C-alpha cells in the first residue's frame, strides 16, 4: 500500500495525506483525524527516509515585501539574489498589501510552500514571540526594528535606528540655521517607521531649543500608496496651501521628497533658495534630480548580507534572538541651504 492508496480511500489529495502524516498545523483537524484513522486501520507505514528527503530538499526562503512598488526595496532584490546564490539558496517573493497583516500572510504561505525561513521587508517594527512560534521557521525583519525593545528568543532583525537617524537628519537642518522645519511623516496611526522617524524629528527640535509645532507635521494621505512620490506631492501641496511658513521640509522617504520638489516648484518657489528639502533612504536617483537631494543613506548591501547571515545562523545553528543595527550616512548635496 502506498500514500496514493490512502489518498484514494480518504477521497483527498496526496499532499493532504502527507500533511496529515507530518502534523501540518494548516490541515483541518477532522480531516487529519480521518486520514490517520485509515492509516491505522490499514497498518500503513510511511517511507520515512523518502519523506525526510522530500522535507529537506528545499533550500528556499521567502521574501515578504510590504510595499512592492517601493524603489528602495526593489533595489535590494538583486543584492539578495547575488548573496543567496553564494550560499546555494533560492528565494521567492510575495507581496504584502497595505491592508494585510504580515503574520497572517506568512502563516498562509508556509502551508503551501516548504521554506527554510522568511525575510520580511518593511512592515511592523515589533512582533510577539507567540506569532513567531506559530510560524515555526526562522524569520528575520529587514529594514524594520526597534532598538529599545528587548529581543526575544525567536526575534531576529536587521535595520538602522530610524529614530536616531531621523534625529541626525533634522539636526543637520537645525545646524544649517533652519528653525521652521516641516515634516512629511507616515500615516497618522503608523506604529512603525513613520512613528520612529517622527520621534527623531521631535528629538532634534528639542535638542536645538526649537518648539515643536504640530501644524508643521503633515501625515501621508490615506487614499494614496504610502512612501510614493504622489503621496509626497499631495501631502506637500496641502501643507503649502495651508499658508504655514517654513524654510525646510524633512520627507521621511526619498520618493516622497521627489513629490515635494514638484509641489514646491508648482508654487513658483525654488529649492533650496526658498525652501530646503531633506530626504531619507539614499536612492540612486537622489543624485540625478535638480538640485541633487540631501538624504540619509541606508546601507542596503550591509543590511541584506546581515539578514542572510542572521537567518542562516538561526536555520543551521539555532542562534536565539539577534538584532543588528547599522548606521546610516548623511549625504550632503544641493537641496539644503545654510541660512
Amino acid at each position: 500500500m502506498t500514500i496514493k492508496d490512502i489518498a484514494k480511500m480518504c477521497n483527498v489529495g496526496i499532499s493532504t495525506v502527507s500533511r496529515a502524516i507530518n502534523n501540518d498545523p494548516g490541515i483541518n483537524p477532522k480531516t487529519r483525524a480521518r486520514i490517520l484513522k485509515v492509516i491505522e486501520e490499514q497498518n500503513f507505514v510511511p517511507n520515512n527516509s523518502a519523506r525526510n528527503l522530500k522535507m529537506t530538499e528545499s533550500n528556499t526562503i521567502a521574501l515578504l515585501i510590504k510595499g512592492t512598488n517601493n524603489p528602495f526595496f526593489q533595489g535590494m532584490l538583486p543584492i539578495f539574489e547575488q548573496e543567496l546564490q553564494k550560499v546555494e539558496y533560492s528565494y521567492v517573493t510575495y507581496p504584502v498589501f497595505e491592508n494585510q497583516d504580515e503574520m497572517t500572510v506568512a502563516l498562509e504561505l508556509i502551508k503551501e510552500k516548504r521554506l527554510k525561513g522568511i525575510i520580511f521587508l518593511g512592515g511592523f517594527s515589533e512582533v510577539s514571540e507567540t506569532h513567531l512560534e506559530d510560524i515555526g521557521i526562522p524569520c528575520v525583519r529587514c529594514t524594520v526594528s526597534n532598538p529599545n525593545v528587548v529581543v526575544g528568543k525567536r526575534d531576529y532583525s536587521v535595520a538602522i535606528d530610524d529614530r536616531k537617524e531621523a534625529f541626525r537628519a533634522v539636526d543637520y537642518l537645525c545646524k544649517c540655521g533652519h528653525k521652521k522645519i516641516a515634516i512629511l511623516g507616515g500615516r497618522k496611526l503608523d506604529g512603525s517607521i513613520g512613528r520612529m522617524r517622527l520621534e527623531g524629528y521631535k528629538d532634534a527640535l528639542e535638542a536645538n531649543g526649537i518648539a515643536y509645532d504640530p501644524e508643521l507635521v503633515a501625515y501621508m494621505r490615506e487614499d494614496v500608496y504610502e512612501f510614493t512620490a504622489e503621496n509626497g506631492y499631495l501631502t506637500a501641496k496641502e501643507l503649502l496651501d495651508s499658508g504655514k511658513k517654513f524654510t525646510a521640509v524633512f520627507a521621511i522617504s526619498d520618493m516622497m521628497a521627489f513629490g515635494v520638489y514638484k509641489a514646491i516648484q508648482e508654487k513658483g518657489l525654488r529649492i533650496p533658495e526658498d525652501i530646503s528639502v531633506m530626504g531619507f533612504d539614499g536612492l540612486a536617483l537622489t543624485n540625478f534630480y535638480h538640485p541633487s537631494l540631501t538624504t540619509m543613506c541606508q546601507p542596503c548591501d550591509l543590511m541584506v548580507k546581515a539578514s542572510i547571515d542572521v537567518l542562516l545562523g538561526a536555520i543551521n545553528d539555532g542562534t536565539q534572538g539577534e538584532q543588528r543595527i547599522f548606521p546610516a550616512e548623511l549625504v550632503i548635496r544641493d537641496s539644503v541651504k545654510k541660512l
Side-chain angles (χ1 to χ4, degrees):
M1 181 169 288
T2 67
I3 194 171
K4 290 182 180 179
D5 298 319
I6 298 295
K8 189 174 181 181
M9 295 174 69
C10 297
N11 196 28
V12 296
I14 295 173
S15 62
T16 304
V17 176
S18 177
R19 288 164 64 191
I21 294 171
N22 294 321
N23 199 22
D24 188 320
I27 191 172
N28 184 293
K30 291 182 179 179
T31 303
R32 179 176 179 273
R34 180 163 56 87
I35 293 170
L36 294 180
K37 183 180 179 182
V38 172
I39 287 174
E40 183 180 359
E41 290 173 350
Q42 299 299 320
N43 294 317
F44 173 69
V45 179
N47 185 335
N48 286 326
S49 59
R51 178 161 56 90
N52 290 337
L53 178 62
K54 281 191 174 183
M55 289 175 66
T56 58
E57 66 187 1
S58 173
N59 259 13
T60 305
I61 68 167
L63 297 179
L64 266 63
I65 308 173
K66 194 155 195 177
T68 51
N69 59 340
N70 189 332
F72 179 65
F73 294 148
Q74 291 170 0
M76 298 178 86
L77 294 182
I79 309 173
F80 269 111
E81 183 172 8
Q82 181 181 4
E83 294 302 316
L84 285 168
Q85 283 179 348
K86 293 179 183 178
V87 293
E88 298 183 342
Y89 268 73
S90 59
Y91 75 92
V92 289
T93 59
Y94 285 85
V96 180
F97 300 105
E98 286 189 39
N99 60 345
Q100 287 182 304
D101 175 72
E102 296 89 321
M103 283 299 170
T104 302
V105 175
L107 286 169
E108 289 297 321
L109 182 60
I110 61 174
K111 293 177 185 178
E112 303 172 7
K113 303 288 184 181
R114 291 195 308 277
L115 298 172
K116 285 292 184 69
I118 297 174
I119 294 178
F120 294 94
L121 287 177
F124 50 79
S125 60
E126 299 170 25
V127 63
S128 73
E129 282 285 299
T130 303
H131 284 147
L132 293 171
E133 287 177 5
D134 289 342
I135 291 178
I137 58 175
C139 301
V140 175
R141 289 173 292 123
C142 178
T143 72
V144 282
S145 185
N146 188 343
N148 298 316
V149 175
V150 177
V151 176
K153 290 182 179 180
R154 292 176 175 266
D155 190 9
Y156 307 91
S157 61
V158 174
I160 61 169
D161 185 333
D162 285 283
R163 183 169 181 168
K164 177 181 177 181
E165 301 303 345
F167 171 92
R168 290 179 59 206
V170 179
D171 183 63
Y172 172 72
L173 293 174
C174 294
K175 294 296 190 288
C176 287
H178 295 275
K179 297 183 183 300
K180 295 290 185 180
I181 304 169
I183 178 174
L184 264 61
R187 308 261 199 232
K188 277 190 177 181
L189 300 178
D190 186 349
S192 184
I193 288 173
R195 173 177 59 82
M196 288 188 284
R197 292 182 187 174
L198 177 59
E199 291 301 319
Y201 163 83
K202 293 178 181 179
D203 294 342
L205 294 181
E206 183 179 357
N208 286 276
I210 300 172
Y212 168 69
D213 184 354
E215 291 187 13
L216 289 178
V217 179
Y219 295 98
M220 282 189 205
R221 292 272 294 264
E222 297 287 345
D223 57 338
V224 182
Y225 281 118
E226 58 183 355
F227 296 104
T228 60
E230 182 184 8
N231 210 319
Y233 165 72
L234 294 172
T235 307
K237 193 172 184 300
E238 288 180 1
L239 189 62
L240 289 163
D241 289 342
S242 72
K244 193 71 179 178
K245 300 299 180 184
F246 50 91
T247 62
V249 177
F250 169 47
I252 68 166
S253 83
D254 288 339
M255 288 305 297
M256 293 180 70
F258 297 152
V260 174
Y261 271 44
K262 178 177 173 62
I264 289 174
Q265 290 162 358
E266 282 185 353
K267 278 288 185 182
L269 301 172
R270 299 166 300 164
I271 304 170
E273 290 82 1
D274 300 311
I275 299 178
S276 294
V277 181
M278 164 75 75
F280 201 109
D281 280 339
L283 296 181
L285 282 172
T286 55
N287 198 32
F288 297 96
Y289 265 65
H290 181 72
S292 56
L293 180 65
T294 297
T295 185
M296 298 300 299
C297 183
Q298 298 197 57
C300 290
D301 284 22
L302 294 178
M303 290 195 295
V304 168
K305 292 175 182 178
S307 297
I308 294 171
D309 186 51
V310 169
L311 185 64
L312 293 183
I315 292 171
N316 299 326
D317 305 322
T319 306
Q320 290 194 346
E322 187 173 358
Q323 183 184 66
R324 297 191 191 180
I325 302 297
F326 290 91
E329 178 189 2
L330 172 60
V331 180
I332 299 173
R333 296 203 181 101
D334 303 325
S335 63
V336 175
K337 176 185 176 182
K338 290 186 178 180
L339 299 184

